[in-house]
Structures are given as C-alpha cells and as structure tokens.
Amino acid sequence: MTPWADVETAVADAHRRGWALVLAATARVARDLDLAEECVQEAYAAALASWARDGIPTNPEAWLTTAAKRRAMDAVRREQTFRSKLPLLVEPEETEDEVAIDEPAAVEPEDVVPDERLRLIFMCCHPALAQEAQLALTLRLVCGVTTADIARAFLISESTMAARMTRAKKKISAARIPYRLPGAAELPDRLRAVLGVIHLLFTAGHTAPSGASLVRNDLVDQSLRLARMLRELMPDEREVRGLLALLLVTDARRATRVDADGRLLRLEDQDRSLWDRAAMTEAHDLIVDGLRGGRPGRYVLQAAIASLYAEAPSYDQTDWPQIVTLYDELLSVWPSPVVALNRTVAVSMVSGPAQALAEVAELEKDGRLARYQYLPAIKADLLHRLGRSDEASIAYRQALELTGNDAEREFLAERLAGPHRA
C-alpha cells in the first residue's frame, strides 16, 4: 500500500500539470464537454483508490488519460445502445462529426494544431459563443483555472460566472457544435479569442488571483508553451508575435518579483541585473518586427510598453512620456478601463499624482472597475504621495478587501500599517 499522503500529493500534482491534456484527449473521444469533464473527474477520483492499492504509476497523466477515455467510450456505447433499441423515440441524424468509438479517430487533413490543449482551445473558441463565454469556458475546462479566479479576472461574481459557463456548455450541446479541429481557413476567425485565452492564462499565473504564492509557475509555463506553438502555427500573424513578446518580457522579471521570504517587491525595488536578458532580447526583436507594416494591435503595443519598463536603466529613468504615448495608442485600439487605469501610473510620473488621481476618480465613476483591487491600490499610492494619509488608508483597506492573493494582501497590509515607511 502506498502512503495516503503520497497518493494525495501525486493526484494533486497530476491535476495541476495534466488536467488540460487529459481533458483534451477525452473530449476528442466523448465529443461532449460535459461528458468529458465528468469522465476526467471520475478518473482522478479513481486514481486515489487505485494508486493507494497498486502504487503511483510512472506516467500519471497517461494512466488518467486512459482511464478517462475508457469511461467516455463506455458512456458513448451505452448511449448508442440506448438509441439503437429505441428507434421510434430517438432517430438522431448522422453527421460528419460522428466517429466510430471502437477505432482511433482518423487524422483529419486540416488537423494542423500540434498540441491537444491548443487544439481544444481552438475548438472551444467557436464563433457561435460570445467571446467572454469562449474565454471563460476555455480557461475553466482546458486550463483548469477555478471559476472563482476566472470571475476575478472578469470582475464579476463567482455565481454569475458559473451561470454563464453553464449556459455556454448548454449552447454548445443545443447547437451541436462539432468537436473537431477547425480547418486552416477557420483559424484566423478564432484567433482573437485564442490569444485572449492564452493572455488570461498567463495573467492568472503571473499574479495568482488567490493562494499563498504570488506566481503560479505552471500556468505561466503553460501559457508560454502555447504562445510558442501558436507562433509556429501562424507565423505571419503580428498579434501572435506581439503576445509572445508580451509574455516573454513580462516573465523576464519572475525571479525578482518576491524576496527570499516570498514577499512582494515593487518594480522599483527589483534587482534588474537578475532579469532574463535573453527573454528580453527575444521580445525586443518580436516587438520591432510587429511594429513594422501598419498600425500595431493590442498585444504588440502592450509588449512595447512592458519592454520600455524593462529596458530602462532604473525605474526613475523610465521613458514615462513615451509610455503615456503608447498607452494612448493602446486605448485607441483597445478601449479598456484596465488600460486606462494602468496609464494613470505613467501619467503620475509625467504630470504628477494629482492629475493621475483625477483620472482615477473618473474611472471610479465609470463603475466597471468596482471589483478590481488595483484601482483602490493605485488610488492609495497616489493619495500617499500627495500627503493625504487618512484617505490613503481608506483606499488601502478597500484594496485589501478585494485581494485574494496572500503575497499581495501582506504587501497591502504593510502599506496600511505604515505607508509612510513604504
């Protein structure tokens, strides 16, 4: 018998690293997301008993994939048997998407996506679904991000997000959206949503919405792999290059974002000599390439802004006016309140904290960032710089109430306890 603690650790690790791959492989057999998810959950539950009895397998993900696919095949066979015995009640139309479950699915001519997870992302990003539903459903099912963390990313309640994902899965079933890879000609129409999924996945790893650690390395690494695969698949798309550049230059600071005790370090306090120069150079080349040949898109501009922060000799020597200019351009192609809020940080360095605070106040009136913890956090910093300590303390408390990550909460609590020392 394997010690129970070892089994629990192995299953948890396999869930963290292998959920997306197991689900993607199972969905190809099940042709139904709800069924695939149910079978994968059953496989993980079965692993607890099996691994305790027989030992932890050498390749846990392969064991789980086999177990989940067998459950899916059994479920499909039962459904086929039920339909064959009740022909007067159920006469399903044959479609080109049905496959024989006793044989492996044939490789489709347009099956050009080299990774099961990226393949399933493209399938989930079907144009019949609203873009927010595409993003949320893919993050939950393919990337394993919790519903609560997805809700935080979209600045809505967990119950609202859960209801939206349920409606999306029902629409997939009702519309009989095929579980196949889109053809090469269909890929560009789904690219925007796929880029959004990979970016949100990176964001959820770069600063985990909840938990003890600031960074979830598994999500960051997965998003970088997917971005590289996407670039190989669509090398001529400028926004694909822009997304990869954004991820690379942002992640270049990973080793310096917390101190030895896991405490958050602000950008101005990080040791720039330890940043990943190879990643920054690769990102720079991608950005220069992306800025050629017409008006740049959202991800190229975001990457250019991040690169200016990274390439400055010090925080104070950052080219703030150029960053404001790039933010203005970004707002014209992607008018997001989050972008407008991020812009206020650069505005405070160019025009002073009072001007930035006025712009933050306008964003507060807008209301779309009411659940976004960085709005009161930025507001608190600006108030502190203006010497309005009592008001800054109120804003820090508001940010603390909205923050789920322990490292960020500790940082905010320290600022609240003594912002004059920060």
Side-chain angles (χ1 to χ4, degrees), residues 5 43 60 64 68 83 107 166 170 186 200 209 247 262 281 298 300 306 400 409:
L64 289 160
R83 292 189 178 193
V107 176
T166 297
K170 287 181 177 178
E186 300 172 86
L200 282 175
L247 269 53
T281 299
R298 162 189 169 183
V300 172
L400 196 56
R409 287 184 59 82

Short mmCIF file of all heavy atoms in Angstrom, two decimals, residues 5 43 60 64 68 83 107 166 170 186 200 209 247 262 281 298 300 306 400 409:
data_model
loop_
_atom_site.label_atom_id
_atom_site.label_comp_id
_atom_site.label_asym_id
_atom_site.label_seq_id
_atom_site.Cartn_x
_atom_site.Cartn_y
_atom_site.Cartn_z
N ALA A 5 -0.79 10.01 2.04
CA ALA A 5 -0.30 11.37 1.80
C ALA A 5 0.43 11.46 0.46
O ALA A 5 0.29 12.45 -0.27
CB ALA A 5 0.61 11.82 2.93
N ALA A 43 -11.98 9.82 -13.31
CA ALA A 43 -10.65 9.20 -13.41
C ALA A 43 -9.74 9.66 -12.28
O ALA A 43 -9.01 8.85 -11.69
CB ALA A 43 -10.03 9.54 -14.77
N PRO A 60 1.66 9.31 -14.54
CA PRO A 60 0.30 9.53 -14.03
C PRO A 60 -0.66 10.09 -15.07
O PRO A 60 -1.83 9.69 -15.13
CB PRO A 60 0.51 10.53 -12.89
CG PRO A 60 1.92 10.31 -12.46
CD PRO A 60 2.66 10.02 -13.71
N LEU A 64 -4.26 8.46 -16.23
CA LEU A 64 -5.50 9.21 -16.12
C LEU A 64 -6.19 9.36 -17.48
O LEU A 64 -7.42 9.25 -17.57
CB LEU A 64 -5.22 10.58 -15.52
CG LEU A 64 -4.84 10.58 -14.03
CD1 LEU A 64 -4.13 11.87 -13.67
CD2 LEU A 64 -6.09 10.39 -13.16
N ALA A 68 -9.89 7.94 -18.22
CA ALA A 68 -10.95 8.86 -18.62
C ALA A 68 -11.53 8.50 -19.98
O ALA A 68 -12.75 8.53 -20.18
CB ALA A 68 -10.43 10.30 -18.61
N ARG A 83 -30.03 4.21 -28.04
CA ARG A 83 -30.68 4.74 -29.25
C ARG A 83 -31.05 3.63 -30.22
O ARG A 83 -32.10 3.70 -30.89
CB ARG A 83 -29.76 5.76 -29.92
CG ARG A 83 -29.57 7.03 -29.11
CD ARG A 83 -28.85 8.09 -29.91
NE ARG A 83 -28.70 9.32 -29.14
CZ ARG A 83 -28.33 10.48 -29.67
NH1 ARG A 83 -28.07 10.56 -30.96
NH2 ARG A 83 -28.23 11.55 -28.91
N VAL A 107 -6.87 10.94 -38.54
CA VAL A 107 -6.27 12.27 -38.58
C VAL A 107 -6.90 13.05 -39.71
O VAL A 107 -6.90 12.61 -40.86
CB VAL A 107 -4.74 12.17 -38.78
CG1 VAL A 107 -4.13 13.56 -38.91
CG2 VAL A 107 -4.11 11.42 -37.63
N THR A 166 -22.27 27.64 -17.61
CA THR A 166 -23.30 26.62 -17.78
C THR A 166 -24.11 26.89 -19.04
O THR A 166 -24.39 25.96 -19.83
CB THR A 166 -24.23 26.59 -16.56
OG1 THR A 166 -23.47 26.23 -15.41
CG2 THR A 166 -25.35 25.58 -16.76
N LYS A 170 -24.42 24.53 -22.48
CA LYS A 170 -25.73 24.13 -23.00
C LYS A 170 -25.89 24.57 -24.45
O LYS A 170 -26.48 23.85 -25.27
CB LYS A 170 -26.84 24.73 -22.14
CG LYS A 170 -26.99 24.08 -20.77
CD LYS A 170 -28.12 24.71 -19.98
CE LYS A 170 -28.31 23.99 -18.63
NZ LYS A 170 -29.38 24.63 -17.82
N GLU A 186 -10.44 28.49 -41.09
CA GLU A 186 -11.25 28.98 -39.98
C GLU A 186 -10.41 29.53 -38.83
O GLU A 186 -10.94 30.22 -37.94
CB GLU A 186 -12.14 27.87 -39.43
CG GLU A 186 -13.11 27.28 -40.43
CD GLU A 186 -13.82 26.07 -39.85
OE1 GLU A 186 -14.84 26.25 -39.17
OE2 GLU A 186 -13.34 24.94 -40.06
N LEU A 200 -4.93 35.58 -20.72
CA LEU A 200 -5.56 35.47 -19.40
C LEU A 200 -4.95 34.33 -18.59
O LEU A 200 -4.81 34.43 -17.37
CB LEU A 200 -7.07 35.25 -19.55
CG LEU A 200 -7.89 36.49 -19.89
CD1 LEU A 200 -9.34 36.12 -20.14
CD2 LEU A 200 -7.80 37.53 -18.78
N PRO A 209 -4.65 34.90 -8.76
CA PRO A 209 -5.77 35.61 -8.12
C PRO A 209 -5.99 35.22 -6.66
O PRO A 209 -6.53 35.99 -5.88
CB PRO A 209 -6.98 35.22 -8.98
CG PRO A 209 -6.39 34.80 -10.29
CD PRO A 209 -5.09 34.16 -9.95
N LEU A 247 4.46 38.19 -23.22
CA LEU A 247 4.66 37.17 -22.19
C LEU A 247 6.14 37.06 -21.82
O LEU A 247 6.50 36.97 -20.64
CB LEU A 247 4.13 35.82 -22.68
CG LEU A 247 2.66 35.49 -22.36
CD1 LEU A 247 1.71 36.60 -22.82
CD2 LEU A 247 2.26 34.16 -22.99
N GLY A 262 9.34 35.33 0.10
CA GLY A 262 8.09 35.31 -0.66
C GLY A 262 7.30 36.60 -0.61
O GLY A 262 6.14 36.63 -1.04
N THR A 281 15.62 40.18 -24.96
CA THR A 281 16.14 40.39 -26.32
C THR A 281 15.21 39.76 -27.35
O THR A 281 14.91 40.36 -28.39
CB THR A 281 17.55 39.80 -26.45
OG1 THR A 281 18.43 40.46 -25.54
CG2 THR A 281 18.07 39.97 -27.87
N ARG A 298 -3.25 45.33 -30.24
CA ARG A 298 -3.26 45.38 -28.78
C ARG A 298 -2.02 44.75 -28.16
O ARG A 298 -1.37 45.35 -27.30
CB ARG A 298 -4.52 44.68 -28.29
CG ARG A 298 -4.50 44.26 -26.85
CD ARG A 298 -5.68 43.39 -26.50
NE ARG A 298 -5.51 42.77 -25.19
CZ ARG A 298 -6.38 41.92 -24.65
NH1 ARG A 298 -7.47 41.58 -25.31
NH2 ARG A 298 -6.16 41.40 -23.45
N VAL A 300 0.94 43.83 -29.47
CA VAL A 300 2.22 44.46 -29.83
C VAL A 300 2.43 45.71 -29.00
O VAL A 300 3.54 45.96 -28.48
CB VAL A 300 2.24 44.79 -31.34
CG1 VAL A 300 3.48 45.61 -31.68
CG2 VAL A 300 2.22 43.51 -32.17
N ALA A 306 5.62 47.19 -21.96
CA ALA A 306 6.35 46.37 -21.00
C ALA A 306 7.85 46.40 -21.27
O ALA A 306 8.66 46.38 -20.33
CB ALA A 306 5.83 44.93 -21.05
N LEU A 400 -7.44 45.84 0.04
CA LEU A 400 -7.22 44.62 0.82
C LEU A 400 -8.47 43.74 0.80
O LEU A 400 -8.38 42.51 0.68
CB LEU A 400 -6.86 45.00 2.25
CG LEU A 400 -6.22 43.94 3.15
CD1 LEU A 400 -4.96 43.36 2.52
CD2 LEU A 400 -5.90 44.55 4.51
N ARG A 409 -1.84 40.59 -0.38
CA ARG A 409 -2.52 41.02 0.85
C ARG A 409 -1.50 41.46 1.91
O ARG A 409 -1.69 42.46 2.60
CB ARG A 409 -3.39 39.89 1.39
CG ARG A 409 -4.66 39.64 0.58
CD ARG A 409 -5.52 38.56 1.23
NE ARG A 409 -5.91 38.94 2.58
CZ ARG A 409 -6.93 39.75 2.86
NH1 ARG A 409 -7.67 40.23 1.88
NH2 ARG A 409 -7.23 40.05 4.12
#
